[in-house]
C-alpha cells in the first residue's frame, strides 16, 4: 500500500446539502483511526474560496478556492447535491467541465449528479441521482442513461449515488475498494451504519415504494406483511386479517397502495431474502422457508423476476465473505472513541 494518502477534493457551493458533504467525509476520515494506513487527504473548495450556506442554514468554510484546484491522478472528486431553484453557478459548472475529467474518480451524491450532467461529464454513461430529479435528468440530458432505482451506479471511473445517505454507502464501497472490507466494516460500526447496501439495491424499501394505505385495517396488514414475510400471505389470509372479503380487500389494497397485494408481498419477501443473503450464513433452502417461498426454486424464480439473477449469484456478489465464521485478521488497534 502506498505511504501517501489518497486525495479527496470536495466541491462546496451555496445551497449544498450538508449531509451530502459530511456523510462521505466522515467515512473517508475514518481511515485515519488505523495506524499505518495512508488514509485520505481531504480538502474542500468553493467558488472564490468563500464560505457557503448549506440548504439547512449551516455555514461551511472551505479550505481553498475552486478555481485554483486541479484534481489529478490519485484524486477522488466529490460533488455533493443541493437545491437547484435557479441556473447552475457558472463558475462551478465551467470548472467541472474544464477540470472534472482529470480526477481519478469522479463521484456525485444526490442531485450533484445534475451538476456532472450539466458539465457533460456523464455523457454516454449510466448514472443515478435522487429519485425526485431522475425524470428531470433523463429529460434534460438525453446523452445520459439514467437508472432511477439503484442507490448508486458505477460506470468506469464515475460513480453517482442517490439521495443523501446513499453517499455514505458509496463512500464505504470506495473505502472497501481502497483499504479492504475490515477497515470499511470498522468505520461502518463506528458510524453505526450498515457496512454496505449493494449499489443495485432500490432507493426505496418495499414499504416506501408503495403508498401507505389510508384505512387503518389496510395499514395494519402492510405492517403485518413486513413483520411476518414467512407467514401465509395469500389474499384470502390477508383479507381475513383486514376483516374484508378477498375481492374487496384486493381492490381496496391496490387502490390505496398502488400495487396489488401479490406484488407487494413479493417485494417484501425478496427484500427480506436479500438482507439474509447479504448478512447471514444461512443456506438458500433455509432462507427460502424464512421468506415464505417454501422451496429454493420458488425463491430463485422470484429473484429472476425481480433482480434478474438467482439467489446464489446475488450472494456471491454481495454476501459475506466465505471466511465469515473464521476469526478476521485485525486491521490494527480498534478505532479511538469519537472526539468532542
Amino acid at each position: 500500500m502506498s505511504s501517501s494518502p489518497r486525495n479527496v477534493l470536495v466541491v462546496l457551493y451555496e445551497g449544498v446539502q450538508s449531509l451530502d458533504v459530511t456523510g462521505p467525509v466522515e467515512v473517508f476520515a475514518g481511515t485515519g483511526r488505523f495506524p499505518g494506513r495512508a488514509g485520505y487527504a481531504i480538502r474542500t473548495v468553493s467558488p472564490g474560496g468563500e464560505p457557503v450556506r448549506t440548504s439547512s442554514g449551516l455555514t461551511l468554510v472551505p479550505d481553498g478556492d475552486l478555481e485554483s484546484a486541479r484534481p489529478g491522478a490519485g484524486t477522488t472528486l466529490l460533488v455533493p447535491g443541493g437545491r437547484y431553484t435557479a441556473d447552475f453557478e457558472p463558475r462551478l459548472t465551467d470548472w467541472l467541465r474544464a477540470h472534472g475529467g482529470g480526477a481519478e474518480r469522479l463521484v456525485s451524491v444526490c442531485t450533484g449528479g445534475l451538476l456532472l450532467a450539466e458539465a457533460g461529464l456523464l455523457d454516454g454513461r449510466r448514472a443515478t441521482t435522487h429519485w425526485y430529479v431522475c425524470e428531470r435528468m433523463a429529460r434534460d440530458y438525453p446523452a445520459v442513461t439514467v437508472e432511477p432505482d439503484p442507490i448508486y451506479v458505477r460506470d468506469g471511473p464515475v460513480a453517482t449515488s442517490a439521495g443523501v445517505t446513499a453517499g455514505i454507502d458509496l463512500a464505504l464501497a470506495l473505502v472497501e475498494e481502497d483499504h479492504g472490507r475490515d477497515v470499511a466494516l470498522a468505520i461502518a460500526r463506528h458510524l453505526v451504519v450498515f457496512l454496505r447496501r449493494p449499489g443495485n439495491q432500490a432507493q426505496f424499501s418495499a414499504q416506501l415504494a408503495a403508498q401507505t394505505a389510508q384505512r387503518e385495517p389496510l395499514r395494519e396488514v402492510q405492517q403485518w406483511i413486513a413483520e411476518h414475510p414467512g407467514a401465509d400471505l395469500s389474499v384470502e389470509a390477508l383479507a381475513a386479517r383486514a376483516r374484508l372479503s378477498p375481492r374487496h380487500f384486493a381492490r381496496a389494497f391496490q387502490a390505496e397502495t398502488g400495487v396489488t397485494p401479490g406484488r407487494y408481498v413479493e417485494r417484501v419477501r425478496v427484500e427480506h431474502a436479500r438482507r439474509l443473503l447479504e448478512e447471514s450464513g444461512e443456506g438458500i433452502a433455509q432462507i427460502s422457508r424464512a421468506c415464505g417461498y417454501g422451496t429454493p426454486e420458488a425463491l430463485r424464480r422470484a429473484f429472476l423476476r425481480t433482480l434478474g439473477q438467482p439467489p446464489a449469484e446475488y450472494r456471491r456478489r454481495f454476501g459475506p465473505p466465505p471466511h465469515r465464521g473464521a476469526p478476521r485478521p485485525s486491521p490494527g488497534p480498534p478505532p479511538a472513541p469519537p472526539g468532542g
Side-chain angles (χ1 to χ4, degrees):
M1 181 178 296
S2 171
S3 59
S4 301
R6 290 173 173 266
N7 296 315
V8 176
L9 184 65
V10 185
V11 174
L12 306 180
Y13 52 89
E14 281 294 312
V16 70
Q17 161 69 252
S18 57
L19 191 56
D20 286 4
V21 176
T22 58
V25 164
E26 287 290 344
V27 171
F28 290 127
T31 58
R33 301 187 182 96
F34 296 89
R37 291 189 178 268
Y40 300 89
I42 303 168
R43 187 166 182 260
T44 56
V45 292
S46 73
E50 301 166 357
V52 300
R53 191 170 178 83
T54 70
S55 58
S56 61
L58 296 174
T59 297
L60 301 179
V61 180
D63 297 314
D65 182 1
L66 174 72
E67 284 77 3
S68 63
R70 296 293 183 270
T75 298
T76 296
L77 176 60
L78 177 68
V79 181
R83 292 185 307 197
Y84 298 114
T85 56
D87 292 337
F88 294 106
E89 163 63 76
R91 290 181 295 174
L92 180 54
T93 52
D94 289 347
W95 182 89
L96 284 172
R97 192 174 294 112
H99 305 292
E104 180 178 321
R105 291 189 301 211
L106 189 57
V107 176
S108 70
V109 182
C110 197
T111 55
L114 291 177
L115 284 164
L116 298 187
E118 178 70 14
L121 295 169
L122 299 183
D123 288 358
R125 295 190 181 276
R126 297 178 299 109
T128 193
T129 184
H130 192 286
W131 63 268
Y132 187 74
V133 294
C134 277
E135 185 176 341
R136 171 182 170 182
M137 178 184 276
R139 181 191 68 234
D140 293 351
Y141 308 102
V144 181
T145 301
V146 180
E147 299 187 2
D149 291 331
I151 59 173
Y152 62 82
V153 170
R154 299 191 67 177
D155 188 338
V158 179
T160 52
S161 62
V164 190
T165 56
I168 295 175
D169 296 297
L170 177 52
L172 284 168
L174 296 176
V175 168
E176 184 173 355
E177 177 181 298
D178 296 340
H179 297 281
R181 182 181 175 90
D182 291 323
V183 172
L185 177 59
I187 293 171
R189 285 174 173 165
H190 185 73
L191 297 176
V192 198
V193 297
F194 291 110
L195 167 59
R196 177 189 60 184
R197 291 185 296 169
N200 70 338
Q201 181 166 311
Q203 293 193 29
F204 294 116
S205 67
Q207 290 88 342
L208 288 178
Q211 304 169 35
T212 301
Q214 296 181 0
R215 282 182 277 182
E216 186 173 350
L218 297 180
R219 287 201 305 271
E220 291 175 354
V221 166
Q222 285 181 286
Q223 185 66 28
W224 167 263
I225 293 171
E227 294 174 354
H228 302 86
D232 177 5
L233 301 180
S234 64
V235 168
E236 290 75 18
L238 297 176
R241 181 165 293 277
R243 299 175 294 280
L244 298 171
S245 72
R247 187 175 180 182
H248 186 189
F249 168 78
R251 286 202 308 265
F253 190 94
Q254 182 167 5
E256 295 199 17
T257 66
V259 295
T260 65
R263 180 61 177 147
Y264 186 83
V265 167
E266 180 164 84
R267 285 179 179 174
V268 170
R269 283 177 165 167
V270 168
E271 188 174 291
H272 185 60
R274 288 171 70 164
R275 286 198 298 269
L276 292 177
L277 289 167
E278 292 164 16
E279 301 168 8
S280 79
E282 295 180 5
I284 300 295
Q286 187 176 358
I287 290 174
S288 301
R289 291 191 296 271
C291 297
Y293 284 107
T295 67
E297 180 57 28
L299 178 64
R300 182 176 184 277
R301 289 196 300 269
F303 262 59
L304 289 173
R305 279 194 304 270
T306 307
L307 303 176
Q309 60 185 302
E313 174 64 15
Y314 186 87
R315 167 166 274 173
R316 187 188 70 78
R317 295 181 62 194
F318 302 116
H323 64 283
R324 183 181 179 91
R328 291 184 180 274
S330 173

